[in-house]
Amino acid sequence: MHFENEVGIKIRNEWQKASLNLLYTYGFLFNGYESFFKRYGLTTQQYNAIRILRDQYPTPISTSGLRDKMLDKMSDTSRLVSRLNAKGFVDVKQNPHDKRLVNIIISAKGLRLMEAIEPELNLLDSMMQDLSEEEATTLSELLTKVRSSVKSASRKVRNAAPVAEIN
């Protein structure tokens, strides 16, 4: 089936088609990840935070440090950490040097959760099973190029003159 028929719109050009195709595919990939982590009572963002904390362990990290390493930079990290703390997966303590900051560290329960998830991560990898390893490498390289292009274009969009209100 052609992409245009799948999404039901007329495509202006190949750049629009690539952008929409990426967004459309992201939805499938995201839903797969959400279903996988839901089995553990987590969202994809919560898993991402716990993974970062596990990789940092035993060194604590601040909320802003965690946000900088998150895949989704727009997430509400404070709320995310509060939820993980309520589930017992992280410990949060006030930073002794700066009372405005907190130190976040993965808990023993969080480490056990990561040990349980680790052997099943290949199920996530299987969502890309129709690509060869070489194709996956090429896709990663192209996505890196896309991110660079998006960052550059985003600066242009932010700096563009405001549009007059349309009545």
Side-chain angles (χ1 to χ4, degrees):
M1 177 184 287
H2 285 90
F3 178 68
E4 295 87 345
N5 293 337
E6 237 179 301
V7 295
I9 62 170
K10 184 171 175 11
I11 303 293
R12 284 190 315 273
N13 53 49
E14 290 302 313
W15 292 283
Q16 181 195 28
K17 183 177 183 179
S19 295
L20 294 177
N21 213 331
L22 188 58
L23 289 170
Y24 189 63
T25 303
Y26 164 79
F28 284 98
L29 198 56
F30 180 79
N31 289 339
Y33 270 67
E34 285 293 304
S35 294
F36 177 85
F37 291 117
K38 186 176 185 181
R39 297 169 43 236
Y40 296 95
L42 297 173
T43 65
T44 301
Q45 285 184 339
Q46 289 172 340
Y47 169 78
N48 186 30
I50 295 173
R51 180 195 54 78
I52 292 165
L53 293 168
R54 191 249 348 249
D55 292 349
Q56 288 280 133
Y57 186 79
T59 305
I61 191 170
S62 68
T63 307
S64 61
L66 182 59
R67 183 182 309 110
D68 290 343
K69 294 178 182 260
M70 295 282 294
L71 293 174
D72 179 4
K73 306 291 185 203
M74 303 306 285
S75 68
D76 183 346
T77 312
S78 296
R79 183 175 292 146
L80 184 67
V81 169
S82 292
R83 288 188 177 135
L84 292 172
N85 188 32
K87 292 179 179 189
F89 296 134
V90 303
D91 293 321
V92 180
K93 295 192 175 27
Q94 192 172 44
N95 183 305
H97 306 293
D98 186 341
K99 303 293 183 204
R100 296 170 296 170
L101 299 177
V102 294
N103 289 338
I104 309 158
I105 192 163
I106 191 170
S107 67
K109 183 178 179 181
L111 288 169
R112 287 191 304 274
L113 174 68
M114 292 302 288
E115 286 176 16
I117 292 173
E118 194 78 30
E120 293 198 22
L121 288 175
N122 62 337
L123 291 173
L124 293 176
D125 300 340
S126 71
M127 288 195 286
M128 303 293 273
Q129 70 187 3
D130 288 348
L131 298 180
S132 68
E133 191 170 351
E134 183 180 332
E135 288 170 328
T137 299
T138 300
L139 177 59
S140 290
E141 290 167 355
L142 288 170
L143 290 172
T144 298
K145 196 172 179 178
V146 167
R147 275 192 309 280
S148 175
S149 179
V150 168
K151 286 175 185 175
S152 174
S154 292
R155 282 189 292 276
K156 292 176 188 171
V157 169
R158 279 192 308 272
N159 295 330
V163 176
E165 188 175 315
I166 300 173
N167 294 322

